[in-house]
Amino acid sequence: GKFIRKIKDFQIVNGGQTTASIFHTFKKDKADISGINVQVKFCVIKNRTNFSEIVSRISEYANTQNKVSVSDLSSNRPFHIALEKLSRSLVTPHIPGKNNQTKWFYERARGQYKNARIKDGFTKTRQKAFDLMNPRNQLFTKEELAKYQNTYQEIFEGKKLVVGPHIVVRGGQKNYVQFINYNEVKSPDNIYFEDTVAKAILFRSAEKIYGVKPNAIGDMRYLTVPYSIAYFGYLSNYKLDLYKIWKNQSISEQLSDLLYDLMIKVEGFIKSNAPGSLYGE
């Protein structure tokens, strides 16, 4: 019969959990896995021009029994692969008072951060080193990336507003679809990554400033934060110094105060102008 002698450049679709379980049992528990067999099906992609699209479709049709999100299916787009590479190589600027520089970990595929932590941290010392270099509070996902980018600046297609805070508040998946359709760049570079992190810091800082109950501005953070940042961008003609935020890894006290005042006014405006009590609508 015919036998497979060699396979190169393959990836697992709908079997990652099985593979990881066997690997960790072998590595951590020193178990004998020589008697384990896993049934597989190989799809050979000969046309490389549409590689990422074909892989996404294989993933989609192999997972019809489960609900798979749009963001999961788009993990292999060149944009996400390039952004992941940037996130693994770029370190934050040195900040006075802090001993170490860190990285912002972009999770292109679900579970990457956890897997990287397990892979790098077999000992407590190595795990601590990984956590210092890649703090969990500097992890961001594809949906979060779309939220930060779509909030910051509105995009029109003709006269139609296709990206803006009204899209962001619809939820992660709907907002992400608009991002890949209208706001995804072809080839992200260092500046794009630094600006993205600055927008993430801006958004997360605004959420902290808004607060949580009972010490919050109100009870509409998911609405008020994106609308306030979008309005601020519009008023300032998008001239905010994003590099300064990246360099300091924080926003200034003046900007913090300004955002607080702006969010109070924006929330008041929404509550007084929205028809009925369904503010999200």
Side-chain angles (χ1 to χ4, degrees):
K2 292 182 179 180
F3 296 89
I4 297 171
R5 287 169 53 190
K6 186 179 180 182
I7 299 172
K8 66 174 184 176
D9 191 24
F10 69 93
Q11 61 190 69
I12 299 162
V13 178
N14 202 20
Q17 218 171 350
T18 305
T19 313
S21 297
I22 295 170
F23 173 77
H24 291 305
T25 305
F26 166 70
K27 201 80 176 176
K28 292 184 84 173
D29 302 335
K30 310 296 181 189
D32 177 21
I33 61 168
S34 59
I36 294 175
N37 293 290
V38 179
Q39 185 178 350
V40 297
K41 175 178 71 178
F42 285 105
C43 299
V44 181
I45 302 171
K46 293 180 179 177
N47 181 4
R48 304 288 296 182
T49 52
N50 295 323
F51 180 77
S52 59
E53 185 185 345
I54 294 167
V55 170
S56 292
R57 289 190 175 189
I58 291 170
S59 181
E60 182 180 357
Y61 300 136
N63 279 289
T64 51
Q65 77 278 14
N66 301 317
K67 185 181 177 183
V68 183
S69 67
V70 177
S71 58
D72 287 335
L73 295 173
S74 64
S75 297
N76 292 310
R77 291 168 76 104
F79 165 82
H80 294 299
I81 293 168
L83 200 67
E84 179 193 350
K85 286 178 181 176
L86 288 167
S87 88
R88 302 300 186 270
S89 61
L90 290 176
V91 294
T92 58
H94 177 71
I95 300 166
K98 289 195 174 181
N99 296 325
N100 65 303
Q101 293 171 281
T102 59
K103 293 179 181 178
W104 280 75
F105 192 102
Y106 177 55
E107 194 171 69
R108 175 177 64 85
R110 200 182 299 272
Q112 271 187 327
Y113 182 86
K114 184 181 177 182
N115 289 339
R117 192 173 185 269
I118 292 169
K119 185 181 175 184
D120 284 12
F122 274 119
T123 64
K124 284 190 176 180
T125 306
R126 287 184 66 179
Q127 204 168 69
K128 189 178 178 182
F130 178 87
D131 292 342
L132 280 171
M133 179 57 76
N134 305 277
R136 183 171 281 278
N137 66 338
Q138 289 179 197
L139 160 72
F140 65 106
T141 63
K142 293 190 293 296
E143 290 92 342
E144 288 174 318
L145 164 72
K147 180 169 65 174
Y148 304 144
Q149 292 287 3
N150 285 359
T151 292
Y152 185 73
Q153 187 168 356
E154 294 177 334
I155 295 174
F156 285 84
E157 190 181 56
K159 290 186 177 180
K160 187 180 179 184
L161 183 62
V162 292
V163 164
H166 66 300
I167 298 294
V168 175
V169 299
R170 289 182 187 175
Q173 289 302 307
K174 288 180 180 177
N175 179 56
Y176 179 77
V177 169
Q178 291 300 95
F179 171 76
I180 59 175
N181 286 337
Y182 298 103
N183 207 6
E184 184 184 273
V185 300
K186 280 189 177 179
S187 48
D189 55 13
N190 289 25
I191 294 171
Y192 180 89
F193 183 80
E194 290 170 7
D195 284 355
T196 297
V197 170
K199 289 169 188 175
I201 293 168
L202 177 66
F203 196 99
R204 292 179 178 185
S205 297
E207 286 187 320
K208 283 183 183 176
I209 294 162
Y210 186 94
V212 292
K213 288 181 179 180
N215 303 310
I217 289 172
D219 53 0
M220 300 195 326
R221 192 176 79 166
Y222 80 103
L223 282 171
T224 303
V225 168
Y227 269 98
S228 299
I229 291 172
Y231 189 45
F232 171 76
Y234 172 76
L235 290 174
S236 61
N237 199 22
Y238 309 107
K239 292 288 189 346
L240 180 65
D241 190 346
L242 293 171
Y243 179 69
K244 186 180 177 183
I245 296 176
W246 160 260
K247 197 175 176 183
N248 296 327
Q249 289 294 292
S250 63
I251 63 172
S252 67
E253 199 173 318
Q254 294 94 323
L255 180 55
S256 178
D257 292 341
L258 190 149
L259 283 172
Y260 180 78
D261 292 339
L262 190 60
M263 284 191 289
I264 290 173
K265 288 171 183 172
V266 168
E267 177 143 328
F269 179 86
I270 293 171
K271 284 185 173 178
S272 59
N273 286 273
S277 59
L278 294 171
Y279 304 118
E281 295 296 315

